[in-house]
Amino acid sequence: ILKKLKNKFHLNKVLYFSKLRIFFICLITLFFIVFASSNLFKLSNDLLKKKINLGLDLQGGSYLLLEIDNTPVIEQKLQNLTITIKNYFKEKNIRIKNLKLIDQKLSFSVEEKFKEKIIETFTDKESDLNPYYQRFKSHQLDIVEENDIFFINFSKQGIVELKISSQDQALEIVRRRIDEIGTNEPNILKRGNDRILVELPGLDDPMRIKSLLGKTANLTFRFITNNTEDSFGAEKLKYEDNDEEEVVSKRIILSGDNLLDAQPRMNNETNETVVSFTLDRVGAKRFGKATSTGIGKQLAIVLDGKIISAPVIRDTIASGSGQISGGFTFQSATDLALLLRSGALPAPLNIVEERTVGPDLGQDSIDAGMIALVIGFVLVIVFIFVKYKIFGLITNVALIINLFLLVGILTIFEATLTLPGIAGIILTVGMAVDANVLIFERIKEELNNEKNNLIAFDSGYTKSKTAILDANITTLLAAIILFFMGSGPIKGFSLTLGIGIFTTLFSVYFIARLLTVLYVSKNKEKEGLI
């Protein structure tokens, strides 16, 4: 009697799927199916407007590999350091000779009696109060003496840190410039410590992007001077639209760092397109002071070493806003405003590799991937149905729902699907079938030793769980490693594979098992179920 009660209790436990559990299974399944369907239909709801984005290899687009030229940055950093050196010598009443910058090295000479003092000042690591040593330490600089001449240059570690810093700044500014244009789902990544990869799906004409990324956008306002002996120094600069030259003071009145905003506008008085700008508080104060003392002078607006325009100052400009004119078209004014808003690049960018993938090639990839998926899916469905009959049908239903779950999750996160991503989906189908085959083969073994169908089916699911989890967990670990260690295409493959593992386990142990229990409970006395 006890044995019968025990078996009856066990049978009830096997059959038991609470209404709450069934409700949550159906709710989760329906939720992801709705999101997956949003890729096929246009829905008015903002939440359901999410779609899977196609990668560069599927919808075509442009691929640019940019390299940062850090030479100007190194020279600028060393040039700025000359002020520190001059201040030091001034404080110590030491006269220096021939302070100059050649081949990324600062060089200078001093009298013999001051050599030891200089070396001690710049190399005394014990002196935490020495501001000059601390400045050198923060820049990772080396100082050496050769033939009575001192040389200062960046150490190897200093060069590496400078490159990493330049790359981080350039990456952010490149992202701002591309986002301003409104390119769909750009992929902007670091490559090494001096390169940036830019992928622009759907963009088959990269000329405007190349033009925007090829400009450093280093904006300065400087006075035109006829005095080549200017105390700040002077240099000859050409106009952007012709070969005329002007002698421009090296003293910077304002830089692009002081800009808050820049927008293209139409000047109603002259009927020409201009770029209006707004300055921050510090910039407005400097601009007001410079224009009040410089009435009658020409103020050169210099962009990347070329003079855009050089208007004559007629009155004090204290409002903190102004206009840049230069014979712009509306498109060129829009691009200039965009460059100024996004900020100047820390160093010039050179395009070292460029590829354009046409939409036709992308469509061919989609077609080939979908054909492979459909053929594989149909063959799997036919094989499973022939081998396992009604349970094969249940597996196929769970397999279809599994794909909807996977696509639904990708849609929610608006993931970018690539050709390797489609390969990951195809592999997910294979792994889902593998899990069901393991379960059904285990059930067959249990039916040989157990007459009760319910217990045999429950034992089959329970005893095969360890093998299925082991296989999926090891695959998931491999997918995680690929995601964090791999690059673009590898990430796409690992992402769909990793998500597919979770959807496979859910579809096998919740959806397929629920359908199996519903069928077996109605045919528990039937022989040869599988």
Side-chain angles (χ1 to χ4, degrees):
I1 292 173
L2 288 173
K3 188 176 181 180
K4 287 182 178 180
L5 288 173
K6 186 178 179 180
N7 287 338
K8 185 176 181 181
F9 175 77
H10 182 67
L11 291 177
N12 288 333
K13 186 178 178 182
V14 169
L15 277 172
Y16 187 67
F17 260 82
S18 69
K19 291 182 180 179
L20 185 62
R21 192 177 183 186
I22 294 173
F23 172 76
F24 276 114
I25 292 172
C26 294
L27 182 65
I28 292 171
T29 303
L30 183 62
F31 177 79
F32 288 114
I33 287 176
V34 169
F35 271 99
S37 302
S38 68
N39 291 283
L40 303 174
F41 307 103
K42 290 185 177 180
L43 302 172
S44 58
N45 190 300
D46 290 338
L47 181 64
L48 299 177
K49 283 184 178 179
K50 294 179 180 288
K51 294 185 181 297
I52 293 177
N53 300 296
L54 298 181
L56 188 67
D57 53 353
L58 294 182
Q59 66 168 310
S62 296
Y63 168 105
L64 299 172
L65 185 61
L66 310 172
E67 186 172 59
I68 304 169
D69 180 7
N70 284 292
T71 302
V73 180
I74 295 171
E75 292 181 350
Q76 184 64 47
K77 294 279 186 184
L78 291 173
Q79 188 70 49
N80 294 339
L81 196 65
T82 58
I83 300 173
T84 302
I85 294 173
K86 286 179 179 179
N87 288 339
Y88 166 72
F89 289 132
K90 187 176 180 180
E91 287 179 15
K92 302 299 180 182
N93 294 317
I94 300 173
R95 182 176 295 179
I96 65 170
K97 301 175 183 177
N98 301 322
L99 177 60
K100 54 189 176 182
L101 174 61
I102 300 176
D103 295 332
Q104 299 183 9
K105 286 184 179 182
L106 277 176
S107 64
F108 61 89
S109 59
V110 295
E111 296 177 26
E112 183 71 30
K113 61 182 178 180
F114 295 118
K115 285 184 180 179
E116 288 187 14
K117 194 171 184 179
I118 291 175
I119 293 173
E120 182 181 347
T121 302
F122 289 112
T123 59
D124 184 8
K125 298 182 180 180
E126 302 299 325
S127 178
D128 293 332
L129 298 177
N130 182 347
Y132 297 100
Y133 171 69
Q134 294 301 324
R135 178 71 66 87
F136 270 53
K137 184 179 178 182
S138 66
H139 284 84
Q140 297 285 352
L141 296 167
D142 289 334
I143 182 169
V144 294
E145 183 205 357
E146 295 178 6
N147 301 323
D148 297 331
I149 299 176
F150 286 95
F151 293 94
I152 298 174
N153 61 279
F154 280 97
S155 65
K156 290 182 179 179
Q157 181 62 30
I159 293 289
V160 170
E161 290 184 3
L162 187 145
K163 284 185 175 182
I164 292 173
S165 175
S166 294
Q167 187 185 43
D168 289 338
Q169 293 178 51
L171 187 75
E172 180 60 31
I173 292 167
V174 166
R175 183 173 281 116
R176 281 188 216 157
R177 291 183 183 181
I178 291 174
D179 287 346
E180 286 262 9
I181 298 174
T183 305
N184 185 39
E185 286 299 312
N187 190 26
I188 306 169
L189 302 168
K190 294 181 182 179
R191 284 289 178 269
N193 59 11
D194 61 355
R195 290 188 175 188
I196 296 173
L197 170 66
V198 179
E199 291 182 336
L200 304 167
L203 184 74
D204 53 3
D205 183 12
M207 292 307 297
R208 187 184 177 203
I209 292 288
K210 286 166 61 179
S211 174
L212 291 175
L213 297 183
K215 292 183 179 179
T216 308
N218 186 13
L219 179 74
T220 58
F221 292 74
R222 295 187 262 166
F223 281 120
I224 288 179
T225 177
N226 294 321
N227 182 11
T228 56
E229 301 298 326
D230 190 296
S231 59
F232 290 93
E235 60 182 336
K236 288 185 178 181
L237 297 179
K238 291 183 179 181
Y239 282 87
E240 190 174 41
D241 54 356
N242 58 56
D243 290 331
E244 289 184 30
E245 289 185 339
E246 296 280 7
V247 179
V248 181
S249 172
K250 288 186 177 181
R251 182 192 176 194
I252 296 175
I253 307 299
L254 277 178
S255 71
D257 296 336
N258 298 115
L259 287 180
L260 285 179
D261 191 25
Q263 297 292 339
R265 294 280 187 270
M266 183 64 72
N267 189 319
N268 295 327
E269 295 180 2
T270 60
N271 200 29
E272 65 174 342
T273 305
V274 298
V275 176
S276 65
F277 61 86
T278 306
L279 300 171
D280 59 16
R281 185 177 59 83
V282 175
K285 187 176 179 180
R286 287 180 182 172
F287 199 51
K289 185 177 179 180
T291 52
S292 65
T293 58
I295 293 176
K297 293 183 179 180
Q298 279 185 282
L299 184 66
I301 302 171
V302 182
L303 181 70
D304 292 343
K306 296 285 180 117
I307 301 173
I308 297 177
S309 61
V312 177
I313 298 174
R314 303 295 184 190
D315 200 358
T316 301
I317 303 174
S319 62
S321 61
Q323 293 181 345
I324 301 173
S325 60
F328 301 121
T329 63
F330 189 78
Q331 181 66 65
S332 63
T334 301
D335 288 348
L336 176 58
L338 185 157
L339 288 170
L340 299 181
R341 285 197 306 272
S342 61
L345 287 165
L349 294 177
N350 301 316
I351 299 173
V352 295
E353 186 179 350
E354 176 187 355
R355 294 203 303 268
T356 300
V357 180
D360 293 338
L361 181 59
Q363 188 60 47
D364 290 343
S365 299
I366 295 175
D367 294 341
M370 294 306 297
I371 290 172
L373 180 60
V374 170
I375 291 175
F377 195 72
V378 169
L379 290 176
V380 166
I381 285 177
V382 171
F383 170 76
I384 291 293
F385 181 73
V386 170
K387 187 168 180 62
Y388 298 109
K389 305 298 187 294
I390 187 66
F391 297 103
L393 181 61
I394 289 173
T395 298
N396 291 334
V397 171
L399 200 59
I400 293 171
I401 294 175
N402 183 19
L403 285 179
F404 274 102
L405 294 176
L406 175 55
V407 174
I409 293 173
L410 293 174
T411 303
I412 289 173
F413 291 102
E414 295 185 292
T416 300
L417 184 63
T418 60
L419 196 58
I422 294 178
I425 295 175
I426 296 172
L427 183 56
T428 296
V429 172
M431 292 189 64
V433 171
D434 182 57
N436 282 286
V437 169
L438 283 173
I439 291 170
F440 291 147
E441 291 302 319
R442 186 70 192 190
I443 290 173
K444 282 184 179 181
E445 293 178 7
E446 293 298 320
L447 284 172
N448 292 331
N449 302 319
E450 176 61 58
K451 293 182 179 180
N452 191 295
N453 288 334
L454 292 175
I455 295 176
F457 271 78
D458 181 68
S459 297
Y461 271 97
T462 303
K463 293 181 180 180
S464 62
K465 185 181 292 185
T466 303
I468 292 172
L469 286 177
D470 285 347
N472 281 276
I473 288 173
T474 52
T475 305
L476 178 62
L477 290 174
I480 292 172
I481 292 171
L482 287 174
F483 183 82
F484 286 104
M485 301 294 289
S487 56
I490 302 298
K491 280 181 180 286
F493 173 77
S494 60
L495 181 66
T496 52
L497 179 59
I499 294 173
I501 289 170
F502 288 105
T503 59
T504 293
L505 293 175
F506 179 83
S507 64
V508 167
Y509 280 100
F510 288 94
I511 298 171
R513 184 166 183 171
L514 174 60
L515 296 175
T516 300
V517 166
L518 291 176
Y519 177 79
V520 173
S521 61
K522 292 181 180 180
N523 299 273
K524 54 187 175 183
E525 304 299 332
K526 186 177 179 181
E527 294 184 2
L529 281 178
I530 191 169

